[in-house]
Amino acid sequence: MQLRTRLSLEYCTVLLESCIQSKSLFRGKLIHQHLLKCLHRTHETNLTNFDVPFEKLVDLYIACSELKIARHVFDKMPHRPKNVVLWNLLIRAYAWNGPYEEAIDLYYKMLGYGITPNRFTFPFVLKACSALKEASEGREIHCDIKRLRLESNVYVSTALVDFYAKCGCLDDAKEVFDKMHKRDVVAWNSMISGFSLHEGSYDEVARLLVQMQNDVSPNSSTIVGVLPAVAQVNSLRHGKEIHGFCVRRGFVGDVVVGTGILDVYGKCQCIDYARRIFDMMGIVKNEVTWSAMVGAYVVCDFMREALELFCQLLMLKDDVIVLSAVTLATVIRVCANLTDLSTGTCLHCYAIKSGFVLDLMVGNTLLSMYAKCGIINGAMRFFNEMDLRDAVSFTAIISGYVQNGNSEEGLRMFLEMQLSGINPEKATLASVLPACAHLAGLHYGSCSHCYAIICGFTADTMICNALIDMYAKCGKIDTARKVFDRMHKRGIVSWNTMIIAYGIHGIGLEALLLFDNMQSEGLKPDDVTFICLISACSHSGLVAEGKYWFNAMTQDFGIIPRMEHYACMVDLLSRAGLFKEVHSFIEKMPLEPDVRVWGALLSACRVYKNVELGEGVSKKIQKLGPESTGNFVLLSNMYSAVGRWDDAAQVRFTQKEQGFEKSPGCSWIEISGVVHTFLGGGYRSHPQLTQISNKLDELLVEMKRLGYQAESSYVFQDVEEEEKERVLLYHSEKLAIAFGILSLSPDKHIIVTKNLRVCGDCHTAIKFISLVTKRDITVRDASRFHHFKDGICNCGDFW
């Protein structure tokens, strides 16, 4: 019986070897069942005869990609296998296919059973470590390599180089590489491709490539390793040189090389070259090639062409080309940039059917697409359905809320992100800081600044620009300047942001001085710089300076004015009451004036009560089509200011008839990190309504003693004078200031934000309040900042 079993086992072994060669899984499973029956029936105490066939079974299942079954057979073997080859096979399978943690775990179990690894074990386990970026585990394994004196082996050393380079330990990789007595082409390729993965390593990659040619000849894998570094620095010249080298060596027929060259040309903005490479590749193109071409179109801002190419890919009947998550995410990004909701929704359906919707990258791109298309509720629904979320997911939804005008909800999501234990990234702060700027949320903005310093994000120009904007819009212009002065590197956006910051604070002379400093540093202004500069002059009444720089923009800098420049000039001249000059300026414009130009003039007509001109301007706006309620409100208020109540009512009726509704006056103030909001006349909604009302009454008495009289022309309802005074007293900015006085200590600066322009009566009243209370008060309205101190506003009543 025992002899028959042994013969049966030997026969099974022979059959299993045949199955391994032919990858015959079905026959192998039948043999597996037979072996289990033999094991169950045997009366032998020594089961070593079963070791070899079971080892062959493990080998077969690995060869047939049935890793779970292979591991189950391995764990249930009669004896723990002592054959290092079998352990290596299983570790290699996990290192290639995952889960990578199992490869490392199996390695340590192998050591625990007293089995000594060999030179084939370490390349596999190190590959798993590099996939997981487990630098500490890899270093421990390196110690085992030294203990076993295998460091001189070229395969092991190459694996160490590859591991250290992929984990970003470039110095360690270089140290191992320099100690190698013999370096083959694989060792050089590992070093080059490893360095190529990391930003700022292009010079080192180029140096290694030159040194390599003194030792061995580069092959196609070398080129594939070098190309990402070339694309990263957008080095077109070197890209062309490598392309020529590939042509001479015959590497261009390699689909991976061709795709890499295509990618370089795309990132270097040479879309024609990229497309030519793509077309020349013919039928050898794979899914990565198509994805690279779509990506090249996206980089070069040819969104429509990217979408058309993707449609061509979908129409291919070739089953060899299978869409990947990367390609799908790239095309969804195209839909986001084009705000093509229809195609984006179709791709979402495809992602659900194909299962790609579970891929985190695809999910994040879908979030961004819905947000950019303005479907923020849809984005939020999808966000809540996601099983896995990361910093990119939260950043996409935060950015979506902020871009769609809901900064408060964006900040709420930012807090939820932190509570969920996910650390914000640079892109997250770049979305959160504008929300803080919009809400004048200094507390959250300052906390974000601290976080940026701790994480080293303040070295990034984009983050510093956002911080400057945030501090400026929160009323902290001096802090904004400190951030600007401490920047490591300033781009044109940095200078423009600081210039416009001075502008909205009414510090036009500082804006002009900063503009001079920018030129002294050799930085050339762009068209946006002059919009910022002329706007700053407008807010400060610097008419002569604004006119000078408008002319200099064309004559000295060769910049052709855009509609925004003309609108700024009309605003500058109109605010100064120079209506004849404005009329002449508009007539000479080479562009047809739009609503923004006429709106600036209409605003001045209201200030100067020039009803006749205002009516003419209003008719022109109506012909063009009003963009918002603002122009209706200006005309209605102008009529009300001169007592033409019927005309004011008619304008409001027309406004409602055309579907425009006036936004109610709303002001808010931040106290200890909490934003308190007030609506005009809506003080009753606040829990401290009694104290606020009493404080306003007290202030009114003190203000009247100093000569304050309510300017009833700013009440646009036909009511009694006494009622008008009460209406004016409960304007939203006055409510917020009264609450600030009650809530903040006398030495604290009161900063209030309003969604509309501050009215003339409130402007006068706040000057009196600053005098009565001896407090510094800042009000940011829809136009600019007003800094009140000792009864004076820095705008000089020019706003």
Side-chain angles (χ1 to χ4, degrees):
M1 183 67 180
Q2 291 177 0
L3 179 62
R4 191 186 305 164
T5 301
R6 276 198 296 274
L7 289 171
S8 177
L9 293 176
E10 288 172 4
Y11 184 58
C12 286
T13 302
V14 173
L15 288 175
L16 283 169
E17 284 177 351
S18 173
C19 290
I20 292 168
Q21 290 175 5
S22 62
K23 292 188 179 180
S24 178
L25 182 61
F26 178 74
R27 286 177 60 203
K29 285 184 176 181
L30 292 175
I31 298 168
H32 187 182
Q33 290 174 6
H34 176 73
L35 285 171
L36 290 173
K37 287 177 182 177
C38 290
L39 183 64
H40 182 70
R41 287 198 302 262
T42 186
H43 299 291
E44 293 183 40
T45 54
N46 185 4
L47 301 176
T48 53
N49 293 329
F50 285 88
D51 289 348
V52 175
F54 271 99
E55 286 177 6
K56 293 294 180 185
L57 263 178
V58 173
D59 193 357
L60 170 67
Y61 284 127
I62 291 172
C64 294
S65 302
E66 294 288 347
L67 192 51
K68 285 185 179 179
I69 303 176
R71 181 60 186 269
H72 177 76
V73 173
F74 181 84
D75 290 337
K76 297 294 182 181
M77 284 177 65
H79 296 101
R80 182 59 58 188
K82 299 291 183 182
N83 183 359
V84 70
V85 175
L86 190 64
W87 287 86
N88 287 350
L89 281 173
L90 208 50
I91 291 171
R92 182 183 68 177
Y94 282 125
W96 278 99
N97 304 304
Y100 306 112
E101 297 89 346
E102 290 294 333
I104 299 169
D105 181 60
L106 208 59
Y107 169 78
Y108 283 114
K109 281 185 178 179
M110 177 183 178
L111 294 179
Y113 285 114
I115 300 166
T116 304
N118 62 17
R119 61 195 175 100
F120 299 108
T121 312
F122 292 109
F124 303 143
V125 72
L126 286 170
K127 180 177 174 59
C129 291
S130 64
L132 293 168
K133 299 290 188 290
E134 282 284 359
S136 56
E137 294 282 3
R139 290 184 195 280
E140 286 186 23
I141 292 167
H142 189 176
C143 293
D144 293 341
I145 291 168
K146 288 178 179 178
R147 181 173 52 81
L148 295 171
R149 297 181 181 179
L150 289 173
E151 201 174 18
S152 59
N153 182 274
V154 67
Y155 302 112
V156 175
S157 295
T158 300
L160 279 168
V161 168
D162 183 70
F163 155 71
Y164 280 126
K166 284 179 179 173
C167 288
C169 306
L170 302 183
D171 291 337
D172 295 296
K174 195 171 183 305
E175 184 181 343
V176 173
F177 185 76
D178 289 341
K179 286 180 180 178
M180 290 177 71
H181 301 299
K182 181 184 177 183
R183 302 173 189 143
D184 61 6
V185 69
V186 179
W188 281 100
N189 289 351
S190 295
M191 192 70 175
I192 287 169
S193 61
F195 271 77
S196 186
L197 291 171
H198 303 283
E199 286 186 28
S201 301
Y202 176 70
D203 292 337
E204 184 65 21
V205 171
R207 185 187 64 78
L208 285 167
L209 184 61
V210 171
Q211 286 183 351
M212 175 186 185
Q213 292 177 75
N214 296 326
D215 194 357
V216 294
S217 180
N219 61 13
S220 60
S221 297
T222 314
I223 303 304
V224 171
V226 171
L227 286 171
V230 178
Q232 196 179 87
V233 296
N234 300 330
S235 178
L236 180 60
R237 182 173 65 86
H238 289 152
K240 286 182 174 181
E241 288 173 358
I242 292 170
H243 186 186
F245 176 83
C246 291
V247 171
R248 292 193 298 274
R249 292 294 183 93
F251 295 158
V252 286
D254 186 313
V255 65
V256 183
V257 173
T259 302
I261 294 169
L262 185 160
D263 183 58
V264 170
Y265 282 131
K267 297 219 171 107
C268 292
Q269 303 286 315
C270 292
I271 195 66
D272 291 337
Y273 284 1
R275 184 64 202 227
R276 202 175 300 169
I277 295 290
F278 180 80
D279 292 337
M280 286 171 61
M281 290 176 73
I283 60 171
V284 298
K285 293 190 285 279
N286 60 16
E287 188 274 333
V288 180
T289 312
W290 284 86
S291 181
M293 191 64 232
V294 171
Y297 275 130
V298 172
V299 168
C300 298
D301 203 27
F302 287 89
M303 299 299 170
R304 291 289 173 199
E305 289 78 357
L307 208 53
E308 287 170 10
L309 189 69
F310 177 71
C311 291
Q312 289 177 32
L313 175 59
L314 289 179
M315 287 188 289
L316 285 177
K317 301 295 183 183
D318 190 355
D319 293 332
V320 176
I321 295 180
V322 181
L323 285 181
S324 71
V326 175
T327 307
L328 192 58
T330 303
V331 181
I332 295 169
R333 199 172 296 118
V334 171
C335 296
N337 291 335
L338 292 173
T339 60
D340 186 347
L341 181 61
S342 176
T343 306
T345 306
C346 291
L347 290 172
H348 188 179
C349 294
Y350 177 83
I352 293 170
K353 289 177 182 177
S354 60
F356 283 133
V357 74
L358 299 174
D359 184 273
L360 186 58
M361 177 179 56
V362 172
N364 289 341
T365 316
L366 282 167
L367 273 179
S368 181
M369 184 273 294
Y370 281 121
K372 285 183 179 177
C373 290
I375 314 298
I376 190 64
N377 291 333
M380 193 65 209
R381 274 197 305 272
F382 181 68
F383 178 83
N384 290 329
E385 291 168 3
M386 291 175 71
D387 295 323
L388 185 64
R389 302 172 195 150
D390 63 359
V392 179
S393 315
F394 276 96
T395 301
I397 202 72
I398 290 167
S399 176
Y401 273 121
V402 175
Q403 288 168 8
N404 286 281
N406 197 340
S407 297
E408 196 170 349
E409 198 62 24
L411 276 182
R412 189 189 68 78
M413 289 304 301
F414 179 59
L415 294 176
E416 186 178 319
M417 176 184 185
Q418 292 172 299
L419 290 172
S420 65
I422 297 174
N423 293 325
E425 297 178 340
K426 274 192 290 189
T428 316
L429 291 189
S431 297
V432 168
L433 288 170
C436 298
H438 175 72
L439 295 171
L442 183 61
H443 174 78
Y444 291 114
S446 300
C447 290
S448 298
H449 188 184
C450 293
Y451 180 82
I453 292 169
I454 291 166
C455 295
F457 294 161
T458 48
D460 187 275
T461 305
M462 179 182 65
I463 294 295
C464 287
N465 294 343
L467 284 168
I468 293 166
D469 181 64
M470 183 274 294
Y471 280 120
K473 288 178 178 172
C474 288
K476 299 290 183 180
I477 189 67
D478 293 337
T479 310
R481 182 58 191 260
K482 284 177 184 176
V483 173
F484 177 82
D485 290 338
R486 291 172 184 171
M487 287 178 72
H488 302 293
K489 183 182 178 183
R490 303 185 196 104
I492 189 66
V493 177
S494 313
W495 290 91
N496 291 349
T497 306
M498 196 66 232
I499 289 170
I500 197 63
Y502 278 129
I504 61 173
H505 280 267
I507 317 173
L509 291 174
E510 280 293 335
L512 290 169
L513 182 61
L514 193 68
F515 179 70
D516 286 338
N517 293 344
M518 183 182 81
Q519 292 181 87
S520 299
E521 291 197 13
L523 202 64
K524 188 178 178 181
D526 62 6
D527 57 337
V528 178
T529 310
F530 286 99
I531 293 172
C532 299
L533 193 64
I534 298 167
S535 178
C537 292
S538 179
H539 284 303
S540 299
L542 302 173
V543 179
E545 290 84 349
K547 288 161 70 174
Y548 171 80
W549 286 113
F550 178 79
N551 293 324
M553 175 177 66
T554 306
Q555 295 168 7
D556 300 341
F557 297 93
I559 296 172
I560 299 170
R562 293 192 280 117
M563 190 64 75
E564 290 85 352
H565 298 99
Y566 288 110
C568 285
M569 278 302 296
V570 169
D571 187 57
L572 172 76
L573 299 170
S574 300
R575 283 172 187 262
L578 303 172
F579 291 111
K580 286 185 180 178
E581 194 171 342
V582 171
H583 185 265
S584 173
F585 180 82
I586 291 175
E587 280 192 336
K588 292 176 182 176
M589 279 176 59
L591 304 172
E592 191 67 29
D594 67 0
V595 174
R596 289 169 293 180
V597 173
W598 293 117
L601 181 53
L602 182 61
S603 179
C605 291
R606 185 195 67 81
V607 173
Y608 289 96
K609 298 180 181 177
N610 191 332
V611 179
E612 185 180 351
L613 179 60
E615 287 178 324
V617 171
S618 179
K619 287 175 183 176
K620 291 183 182 294
I621 290 172
Q622 291 302 315
K623 284 181 181 178
L624 292 170
E627 292 180 340
S628 65
T629 61
N631 296 315
F632 285 111
V633 173
L634 285 172
L635 186 61
S636 172
N637 291 355
M638 186 168 59
Y639 283 138
S640 299
V642 295
R644 291 171 58 174
W645 304 109
D646 291 341
D647 291 329
Q650 182 59 43
V651 171
R652 288 196 292 273
F653 176 77
T654 306
Q655 173 188 330
K656 287 183 181 178
E657 198 174 45
Q658 294 188 17
F660 292 97
E661 287 193 16
K662 178 184 179 294
S663 300
C666 175
S667 298
W668 57 93
I669 182 171
E670 185 185 63
I671 307 289
S672 302
V674 178
V675 175
H676 297 263
T677 305
F678 299 87
L679 292 174
Y683 62 95
R684 291 180 181 82
S685 63
H686 198 277
Q688 289 182 251
L689 63 96
T690 305
Q691 296 95 314
I692 292 170
S693 180
N694 291 339
K695 175 55 69 175
L696 284 172
D697 288 336
E698 288 174 20
L699 289 170
L700 183 60
V701 171
E702 294 295 323
M703 287 155 57
K704 282 185 174 180
R705 282 179 185 169
L706 295 175
Y708 166 75
Q709 284 187 329
E711 298 180 43
S712 59
S713 63
Y714 288 96
V715 177
F716 306 118
Q717 296 89 32
D718 190 7
V719 293
E720 296 296 326
E721 287 297 316
E722 187 177 340
E723 181 62 25
K724 286 182 179 181
E725 184 179 272
R726 300 306 296 177
V727 170
L728 289 169
L729 185 61
Y730 294 120
H731 274 194
S732 64
E733 54 266 61
K734 291 191 183 97
L735 293 167
I737 290 169
F739 181 68
I741 293 168
L742 290 168
S743 305
L744 297 170
S745 59
D747 60 322
K748 292 289 184 180
H749 190 170
I750 296 172
I751 302 174
V752 171
T753 306
K754 185 175 182 181
N755 65 330
L756 307 174
R757 282 195 183 192
V758 65
C759 78
D761 176 75
C762 286
H763 193 268
T764 302
I766 298 167
K767 287 195 287 185
F768 277 99
I769 292 171
S770 71
L771 195 60
V772 168
T773 60
K774 295 182 172 52
R775 300 186 72 140
D776 292 350
I777 301 171
T778 295
V779 176
R780 172 185 134 193
D781 69 8
S783 172
R784 56 163 295 152
F785 274 86
H786 300 266
H787 298 282
F788 300 91
K789 185 174 183 178
D790 299 328
I792 298 170
C793 178
N794 76 319
C795 75
D797 299 336
F798 187 92
W799 83 99

